[in-house]
């Protein structure tokens, strides 16, 4: 597939895809006309890279762990080094802290929206409904 299709399917700007390729995070073949041609698996790879970037991992760490990840959830142990394990343990802890913070913020926003919705609902009195005890 060409870069425009990859961009559309992954919702990733073309410029960012070129950057990923410069960083050796993804690869393409070149067609005779010079256009990039990506294999189908690159869609998952781009999504995986974006997820790792969104989690806060820098591209240098992502580049180091990508050889360990053939497809999502498949790990090839021969590529793992003690330094990589230590780095990933630190990153995992940092991610856990971010998840905890995001979860708290998610709850706070949900509570805020629930309170707003409760205030915004017309009360029974406004609708002209009288309860049984009020008759």
């Amino acid at each position: 597939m060409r870069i425009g299709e990859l961009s559309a399917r992954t919702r990733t700007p073309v410029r960012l895809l070129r950057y990923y390729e410069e960083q050796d995070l993804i690869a393409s073949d070149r067609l005779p006309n010079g256009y990039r041609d990506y294999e189908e698996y690159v869609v998952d790879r781009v999504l995986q890279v974006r997820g790792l970037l969104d989690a806060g991992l820098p591209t240098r760490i992502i580049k180091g762990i990508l050889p360990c990840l053939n497809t999502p959830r498949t790990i090839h142990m021969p590529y793992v080094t003690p330094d990589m394990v230590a780095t990933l343990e630190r990153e995992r802890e940092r991610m856990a802290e971010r998840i905890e913070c995001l979860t708290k913020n998610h709850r706070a926003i949900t509570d805020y929206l629930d309170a707003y919705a409760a205030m915004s609902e017309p009360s029974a009195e406004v609708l002209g409904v009288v309860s049984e005890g009020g008759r």
Side-chain angles (χ1 to χ4, degrees), residues 70-115:
N70 183 19
T71 59
R73 298 182 183 86
T74 302
I75 298 175
H76 299 278
M77 297 307 285
Y79 298 106
V80 178
T81 66
D83 287 340
M84 183 186 298
V85 170
T87 299
L88 291 175
E89 286 173 342
R90 285 191 304 272
E91 290 298 323
R92 181 182 61 188
E93 182 59 33
R94 197 175 59 75
M95 290 164 98
E97 291 169 2
R98 289 186 65 209
I99 289 168
E100 183 178 340
C101 180
L102 287 169
T103 299
K104 287 178 184 176
N105 289 334
H106 182 269
R107 274 192 225 117
I109 290 170
T110 298
D111 291 346
Y112 180 85
L113 291 171
D114 290 347

Short mmCIF file of all heavy atoms in Angstrom, two decimals, residues 70-115:
data_model
loop_
_atom_site.label_atom_id
_atom_site.label_comp_id
_atom_site.label_asym_id
_atom_site.label_seq_id
_atom_site.Cartn_x
_atom_site.Cartn_y
_atom_site.Cartn_z
N ASN A 70 7.03 -9.16 17.24
CA ASN A 70 6.74 -9.55 15.86
C ASN A 70 5.36 -9.03 15.48
O ASN A 70 5.17 -8.41 14.46
CB ASN A 70 6.82 -11.06 15.73
CG ASN A 70 6.60 -11.54 14.32
OD1 ASN A 70 6.73 -10.77 13.37
ND2 ASN A 70 6.27 -12.80 14.18
N THR A 71 4.41 -9.35 16.30
CA THR A 71 3.05 -8.83 16.17
C THR A 71 2.63 -8.48 17.58
O THR A 71 3.25 -8.90 18.54
CB THR A 71 2.08 -9.89 15.60
OG1 THR A 71 2.07 -11.02 16.47
CG2 THR A 71 2.47 -10.32 14.20
N PRO A 72 1.56 -7.72 17.76
CA PRO A 72 1.15 -7.42 19.12
C PRO A 72 1.02 -8.69 19.94
O PRO A 72 0.46 -9.69 19.49
CB PRO A 72 -0.20 -6.72 18.93
CG PRO A 72 -0.10 -6.13 17.56
CD PRO A 72 0.72 -7.11 16.75
N ARG A 73 1.58 -8.65 21.14
CA ARG A 73 1.52 -9.73 22.12
C ARG A 73 2.44 -10.92 21.81
O ARG A 73 2.34 -11.94 22.44
CB ARG A 73 0.09 -10.21 22.33
CG ARG A 73 -0.81 -9.12 22.88
CD ARG A 73 -2.20 -9.69 23.09
NE ARG A 73 -3.10 -8.67 23.55
CZ ARG A 73 -3.79 -7.85 22.78
NH1 ARG A 73 -3.68 -7.92 21.48
NH2 ARG A 73 -4.59 -6.95 23.28
N THR A 74 3.32 -10.82 20.81
CA THR A 74 4.27 -11.88 20.53
C THR A 74 5.67 -11.35 20.83
O THR A 74 6.12 -10.40 20.20
CB THR A 74 4.20 -12.33 19.07
OG1 THR A 74 2.87 -12.77 18.80
CG2 THR A 74 5.16 -13.45 18.79
N ILE A 75 6.35 -11.96 21.79
CA ILE A 75 7.67 -11.48 22.19
C ILE A 75 8.70 -12.55 21.85
O ILE A 75 8.51 -13.73 22.15
CB ILE A 75 7.70 -11.17 23.70
CG1 ILE A 75 6.70 -10.06 24.00
CG2 ILE A 75 9.10 -10.78 24.13
CD1 ILE A 75 6.56 -9.75 25.47
N HIS A 76 9.80 -12.11 21.22
CA HIS A 76 10.89 -13.00 20.87
C HIS A 76 12.03 -12.73 21.84
O HIS A 76 12.71 -11.71 21.76
CB HIS A 76 11.33 -12.76 19.42
CG HIS A 76 10.21 -13.02 18.46
ND1 HIS A 76 9.90 -14.28 18.03
CD2 HIS A 76 9.32 -12.19 17.89
CE1 HIS A 76 8.86 -14.22 17.22
NE2 HIS A 76 8.49 -12.96 17.12
N MET A 77 12.25 -13.62 22.77
CA MET A 77 13.19 -13.43 23.87
C MET A 77 14.65 -13.28 23.47
O MET A 77 15.39 -12.63 24.19
CB MET A 77 13.04 -14.56 24.89
CG MET A 77 11.67 -14.60 25.56
SD MET A 77 11.17 -13.04 26.29
CE MET A 77 12.20 -13.03 27.74
N PRO A 78 15.14 -13.83 22.37
CA PRO A 78 16.58 -13.68 22.08
C PRO A 78 17.04 -12.23 21.97
O PRO A 78 18.22 -11.95 22.14
CB PRO A 78 16.75 -14.41 20.75
CG PRO A 78 15.60 -15.33 20.66
CD PRO A 78 14.47 -14.67 21.40
N TYR A 79 16.15 -11.29 21.70
CA TYR A 79 16.54 -9.90 21.53
C TYR A 79 16.57 -9.11 22.83
O TYR A 79 17.02 -7.98 22.86
CB TYR A 79 15.60 -9.20 20.56
CG TYR A 79 15.62 -9.80 19.18
CD1 TYR A 79 14.56 -10.56 18.73
CD2 TYR A 79 16.70 -9.59 18.33
CE1 TYR A 79 14.58 -11.12 17.46
CE2 TYR A 79 16.73 -10.15 17.07
CZ TYR A 79 15.66 -10.91 16.63
OH TYR A 79 15.68 -11.45 15.39
N VAL A 80 16.07 -9.68 23.92
CA VAL A 80 15.97 -8.95 25.18
C VAL A 80 17.33 -8.95 25.87
O VAL A 80 17.98 -9.97 26.01
CB VAL A 80 14.90 -9.60 26.09
CG1 VAL A 80 14.82 -8.87 27.41
CG2 VAL A 80 13.54 -9.57 25.40
N THR A 81 17.74 -7.75 26.32
CA THR A 81 19.00 -7.60 27.06
C THR A 81 18.68 -7.13 28.48
O THR A 81 17.61 -6.57 28.72
CB THR A 81 19.91 -6.56 26.39
OG1 THR A 81 19.28 -5.28 26.48
CG2 THR A 81 20.19 -6.91 24.93
N PRO A 82 19.60 -7.32 29.43
CA PRO A 82 19.37 -6.83 30.79
C PRO A 82 19.11 -5.32 30.84
O PRO A 82 18.27 -4.85 31.60
CB PRO A 82 20.65 -7.20 31.54
CG PRO A 82 21.18 -8.38 30.79
CD PRO A 82 20.83 -8.12 29.34
N ASP A 83 19.82 -4.56 30.02
CA ASP A 83 19.60 -3.11 29.99
C ASP A 83 18.19 -2.78 29.50
O ASP A 83 17.53 -1.89 30.02
CB ASP A 83 20.62 -2.41 29.08
CG ASP A 83 22.01 -2.36 29.69
OD1 ASP A 83 22.13 -2.51 30.92
OD2 ASP A 83 22.97 -2.17 28.93
N MET A 84 17.74 -3.53 28.50
CA MET A 84 16.40 -3.31 27.98
C MET A 84 15.36 -3.63 29.04
O MET A 84 14.39 -2.90 29.22
CB MET A 84 16.13 -4.15 26.72
CG MET A 84 14.77 -3.88 26.11
SD MET A 84 14.37 -4.97 24.72
CE MET A 84 15.66 -4.54 23.58
N VAL A 85 15.56 -4.71 29.77
CA VAL A 85 14.63 -5.10 30.83
C VAL A 85 14.56 -4.01 31.89
O VAL A 85 13.49 -3.61 32.33
CB VAL A 85 15.02 -6.46 31.45
CG1 VAL A 85 14.21 -6.75 32.70
CG2 VAL A 85 14.83 -7.57 30.42
N ALA A 86 15.72 -3.49 32.32
CA ALA A 86 15.76 -2.44 33.34
C ALA A 86 15.04 -1.18 32.84
O ALA A 86 14.26 -0.56 33.57
CB ALA A 86 17.20 -2.12 33.71
N THR A 87 15.29 -0.82 31.60
CA THR A 87 14.63 0.35 31.02
C THR A 87 13.13 0.15 30.96
O THR A 87 12.35 1.05 31.32
CB THR A 87 15.19 0.63 29.60
OG1 THR A 87 16.58 0.90 29.71
CG2 THR A 87 14.48 1.80 28.95
N LEU A 88 12.71 -1.02 30.52
CA LEU A 88 11.28 -1.29 30.41
C LEU A 88 10.62 -1.34 31.78
O LEU A 88 9.47 -0.91 31.93
CB LEU A 88 11.04 -2.59 29.65
CG LEU A 88 11.39 -2.53 28.16
CD1 LEU A 88 11.22 -3.90 27.53
CD2 LEU A 88 10.55 -1.49 27.44
N GLU A 89 11.31 -1.84 32.79
CA GLU A 89 10.75 -1.83 34.14
C GLU A 89 10.52 -0.40 34.63
O GLU A 89 9.48 -0.10 35.21
CB GLU A 89 11.65 -2.60 35.11
CG GLU A 89 11.56 -4.10 34.92
CD GLU A 89 12.57 -4.88 35.75
OE1 GLU A 89 13.58 -4.29 36.22
OE2 GLU A 89 12.35 -6.10 35.92
N ARG A 90 11.49 0.48 34.37
CA ARG A 90 11.33 1.89 34.74
C ARG A 90 10.17 2.52 33.98
O ARG A 90 9.35 3.24 34.55
CB ARG A 90 12.62 2.66 34.47
CG ARG A 90 13.72 2.42 35.47
CD ARG A 90 14.87 3.41 35.30
NE ARG A 90 15.43 3.42 33.95
CZ ARG A 90 16.41 2.61 33.54
NH1 ARG A 90 16.93 1.73 34.36
NH2 ARG A 90 16.87 2.70 32.30
N GLU A 91 10.10 2.24 32.69
CA GLU A 91 9.02 2.81 31.87
C GLU A 91 7.67 2.27 32.31
O GLU A 91 6.68 3.00 32.35
CB GLU A 91 9.26 2.53 30.39
CG GLU A 91 10.42 3.30 29.80
CD GLU A 91 10.23 4.81 29.86
OE1 GLU A 91 9.10 5.30 29.68
OE2 GLU A 91 11.23 5.51 30.10
N ARG A 92 7.61 1.00 32.65
CA ARG A 92 6.35 0.41 33.11
C ARG A 92 5.88 1.09 34.39
O ARG A 92 4.69 1.40 34.53
CB ARG A 92 6.52 -1.09 33.34
CG ARG A 92 5.22 -1.76 33.80
CD ARG A 92 5.40 -3.21 34.07
NE ARG A 92 6.38 -3.41 35.14
CZ ARG A 92 6.85 -4.60 35.50
NH1 ARG A 92 6.47 -5.68 34.86
NH2 ARG A 92 7.71 -4.69 36.47
N GLU A 93 6.79 1.37 35.31
CA GLU A 93 6.42 2.04 36.55
C GLU A 93 5.93 3.46 36.27
O GLU A 93 4.93 3.91 36.83
CB GLU A 93 7.62 2.07 37.52
CG GLU A 93 7.31 2.72 38.84
CD GLU A 93 6.18 2.06 39.61
OE1 GLU A 93 6.02 0.82 39.50
OE2 GLU A 93 5.44 2.77 40.31
N ARG A 94 6.62 4.14 35.38
CA ARG A 94 6.20 5.49 35.00
C ARG A 94 4.82 5.46 34.35
O ARG A 94 3.97 6.31 34.63
CB ARG A 94 7.24 6.10 34.05
CG ARG A 94 7.14 7.59 33.90
CD ARG A 94 8.27 8.13 33.04
NE ARG A 94 8.29 7.58 31.70
CZ ARG A 94 7.43 7.94 30.74
NH1 ARG A 94 6.51 8.82 30.97
NH2 ARG A 94 7.52 7.39 29.55
N MET A 95 4.57 4.45 33.52
CA MET A 95 3.26 4.31 32.87
C MET A 95 2.19 4.03 33.92
O MET A 95 1.07 4.57 33.83
CB MET A 95 3.29 3.18 31.85
CG MET A 95 4.12 3.49 30.62
SD MET A 95 4.48 1.98 29.71
CE MET A 95 3.25 2.06 28.46
N ALA A 96 2.49 3.19 34.90
CA ALA A 96 1.52 2.88 35.95
C ALA A 96 1.13 4.15 36.70
O ALA A 96 -0.05 4.36 37.03
CB ALA A 96 2.08 1.83 36.90
N GLU A 97 2.10 5.02 36.96
CA GLU A 97 1.81 6.29 37.63
C GLU A 97 0.92 7.17 36.75
O GLU A 97 -0.02 7.80 37.25
CB GLU A 97 3.11 7.01 37.96
CG GLU A 97 3.91 6.33 39.05
CD GLU A 97 5.31 6.89 39.21
OE1 GLU A 97 5.69 7.85 38.48
OE2 GLU A 97 6.06 6.35 40.06
N ARG A 98 1.20 7.20 35.48
CA ARG A 98 0.36 7.99 34.56
C ARG A 98 -1.05 7.42 34.48
O ARG A 98 -2.02 8.16 34.43
CB ARG A 98 0.99 8.02 33.16
CG ARG A 98 2.25 8.87 33.11
CD ARG A 98 2.80 9.02 31.72
NE ARG A 98 1.85 9.76 30.90
CZ ARG A 98 1.73 9.60 29.59
NH1 ARG A 98 2.48 8.74 28.95
NH2 ARG A 98 0.86 10.32 28.90
N ILE A 99 -1.15 6.08 34.44
CA ILE A 99 -2.47 5.44 34.40
C ILE A 99 -3.27 5.81 35.64
O ILE A 99 -4.46 6.13 35.56
CB ILE A 99 -2.34 3.91 34.24
CG1 ILE A 99 -1.84 3.57 32.84
CG2 ILE A 99 -3.66 3.21 34.55
CD1 ILE A 99 -1.41 2.12 32.68
N GLU A 100 -2.63 5.77 36.79
CA GLU A 100 -3.31 6.12 38.04
C GLU A 100 -3.80 7.56 38.00
O GLU A 100 -4.95 7.86 38.35
CB GLU A 100 -2.36 5.92 39.22
CG GLU A 100 -3.03 6.18 40.56
CD GLU A 100 -2.07 5.94 41.73
OE1 GLU A 100 -1.06 5.24 41.56
OE2 GLU A 100 -2.37 6.47 42.81
N CYS A 101 -2.96 8.46 37.53
CA CYS A 101 -3.35 9.86 37.41
C CYS A 101 -4.49 10.03 36.42
O CYS A 101 -5.46 10.74 36.69
CB CYS A 101 -2.14 10.69 36.99
SG CYS A 101 -2.48 12.45 36.82
N LEU A 102 -4.39 9.39 35.27
CA LEU A 102 -5.46 9.48 34.27
C LEU A 102 -6.76 8.90 34.80
O LEU A 102 -7.85 9.44 34.54
CB LEU A 102 -5.04 8.75 32.98
CG LEU A 102 -3.99 9.46 32.13
CD1 LEU A 102 -3.49 8.53 31.05
CD2 LEU A 102 -4.56 10.74 31.54
N THR A 103 -6.68 7.81 35.54
CA THR A 103 -7.88 7.19 36.11
C THR A 103 -8.56 8.15 37.08
O THR A 103 -9.78 8.31 37.06
CB THR A 103 -7.53 5.86 36.79
OG1 THR A 103 -6.97 4.98 35.81
CG2 THR A 103 -8.75 5.20 37.42
N LYS A 104 -7.78 8.79 37.95
CA LYS A 104 -8.35 9.77 38.89
C LYS A 104 -9.00 10.92 38.14
O LYS A 104 -10.10 11.34 38.48
CB LYS A 104 -7.26 10.29 39.82
CG LYS A 104 -6.82 9.31 40.87
CD LYS A 104 -5.71 9.90 41.73
CE LYS A 104 -5.20 8.88 42.73
NZ LYS A 104 -4.07 9.40 43.51
N ASN A 105 -8.32 11.43 37.12
CA ASN A 105 -8.88 12.53 36.34
C ASN A 105 -10.13 12.10 35.59
O ASN A 105 -11.10 12.86 35.48
CB ASN A 105 -7.84 13.09 35.37
CG ASN A 105 -6.75 13.85 36.10
OD1 ASN A 105 -6.97 14.38 37.18
ND2 ASN A 105 -5.57 13.90 35.50
N HIS A 106 -10.14 10.86 35.09
CA HIS A 106 -11.32 10.34 34.40
C HIS A 106 -12.50 10.28 35.36
O HIS A 106 -13.62 10.69 35.01
CB HIS A 106 -11.00 8.95 33.83
CG HIS A 106 -12.12 8.34 33.07
ND1 HIS A 106 -13.06 7.53 33.66
CD2 HIS A 106 -12.46 8.44 31.76
CE1 HIS A 106 -13.93 7.14 32.75
NE2 HIS A 106 -13.59 7.67 31.59
N ARG A 107 -12.26 9.79 36.57
CA ARG A 107 -13.33 9.73 37.58
C ARG A 107 -13.85 11.12 37.91
O ARG A 107 -15.05 11.33 38.03
CB ARG A 107 -12.83 9.05 38.85
CG ARG A 107 -12.95 7.55 38.80
CD ARG A 107 -12.72 6.93 40.19
NE ARG A 107 -11.83 5.81 40.01
CZ ARG A 107 -10.61 5.69 40.51
NH1 ARG A 107 -10.12 6.62 41.29
NH2 ARG A 107 -9.89 4.64 40.25
N ALA A 108 -12.94 12.08 38.09
CA ALA A 108 -13.35 13.44 38.43
C ALA A 108 -14.20 14.05 37.32
O ALA A 108 -15.23 14.68 37.59
CB ALA A 108 -12.11 14.30 38.69
N ILE A 109 -13.80 13.86 36.08
CA ILE A 109 -14.58 14.40 34.96
C ILE A 109 -15.93 13.71 34.87
O ILE A 109 -16.96 14.36 34.64
CB ILE A 109 -13.79 14.27 33.64
CG1 ILE A 109 -12.60 15.24 33.66
CG2 ILE A 109 -14.68 14.52 32.42
CD1 ILE A 109 -11.62 15.04 32.53
N THR A 110 -15.96 12.40 35.08
CA THR A 110 -17.23 11.67 35.07
C THR A 110 -18.16 12.19 36.16
O THR A 110 -19.35 12.43 35.91
CB THR A 110 -16.98 10.15 35.24
OG1 THR A 110 -16.19 9.70 34.14
CG2 THR A 110 -18.29 9.37 35.29
N ASP A 111 -17.62 12.38 37.37
CA ASP A 111 -18.43 12.92 38.47
C ASP A 111 -18.96 14.31 38.13
O ASP A 111 -20.11 14.64 38.40
CB ASP A 111 -17.62 12.97 39.77
CG ASP A 111 -17.30 11.58 40.31
OD1 ASP A 111 -17.93 10.59 39.85
OD2 ASP A 111 -16.42 11.49 41.19
N TYR A 112 -18.11 15.13 37.54
CA TYR A 112 -18.51 16.47 37.15
C TYR A 112 -19.64 16.43 36.13
O TYR A 112 -20.66 17.12 36.27
CB TYR A 112 -17.30 17.22 36.58
CG TYR A 112 -17.60 18.63 36.15
CD1 TYR A 112 -17.58 19.68 37.06
CD2 TYR A 112 -17.90 18.92 34.82
CE1 TYR A 112 -17.85 20.97 36.66
CE2 TYR A 112 -18.17 20.21 34.41
CZ TYR A 112 -18.15 21.24 35.34
OH TYR A 112 -18.43 22.52 34.95
N LEU A 113 -19.48 15.58 35.11
CA LEU A 113 -20.52 15.48 34.08
C LEU A 113 -21.81 14.89 34.64
O LEU A 113 -22.91 15.33 34.27
CB LEU A 113 -20.01 14.63 32.91
CG LEU A 113 -18.91 15.29 32.07
CD1 LEU A 113 -18.34 14.29 31.07
CD2 LEU A 113 -19.43 16.54 31.38
N ASP A 114 -21.70 13.91 35.54
CA ASP A 114 -22.89 13.35 36.18
C ASP A 114 -23.62 14.41 37.00
O ASP A 114 -24.85 14.51 36.97
CB ASP A 114 -22.53 12.16 37.07
CG ASP A 114 -22.09 10.94 36.27
OD1 ASP A 114 -22.30 10.92 35.04
OD2 ASP A 114 -21.54 10.01 36.90
N ALA A 115 -22.87 15.23 37.75
CA ALA A 115 -23.48 16.30 38.55
C ALA A 115 -24.15 17.32 37.64
O ALA A 115 -25.27 17.78 37.92
CB ALA A 115 -22.43 16.97 39.43
#
